[in-house]
Amino acid sequence: MRLNASKSKDPDGNAIKFHWWQQQEIGTAKLTIDNANKSVVNVHIPDDAQGQTLHLICEVSDNGAFKLKSYQRIIIQL
């Protein structure tokens, strides 16, 4: 599965960085995320994930004075 957050931007024009991660407390299957620090990632879902709900987080932070962060949750139901 390919996920794309490349249209993300900082309203003040600061540079942003990405960090994708799985919320481990939900579901038992472990996702693999290629290039987790890029805006576009490939997520690999294991075969044993059938019937589970998994939560993937896209964390975007800026390099401004206050180091603001924004989170988007992607819910995957199999």
Side-chain angles (χ1 to χ4, degrees), residues 2-70:
R2 186 175 179 96
L3 299 173
N4 186 339
S6 63
K7 292 190 179 194
S8 300
K9 62 182 179 179
D10 181 80
D12 299 329
N14 295 321
I16 58 174
K17 64 180 182 175
F18 296 86
H19 179 64
W20 296 79
W21 48 277
Q22 179 182 3
Q23 187 173 2
Q24 293 294 321
E25 297 83 6
I26 302 171
T28 57
K30 175 103 171 93
L31 300 174
T32 303
I33 306 167
D34 295 340
N35 300 314
N37 292 319
K38 302 286 186 185
S39 61
V40 179
V41 296
N42 288 316
V43 178
H44 304 279
I45 301 171
D47 293 335
D48 65 350
Q50 289 300 329
Q52 295 187 43
T53 299
L54 307 171
H55 289 224
L56 183 65
I57 309 298
C58 177
E59 176 183 321
V60 181
S61 57
D62 72 5
N63 68 347
F66 298 104
K67 308 288 187 232
L68 300 175
K69 291 187 180 186
S70 176

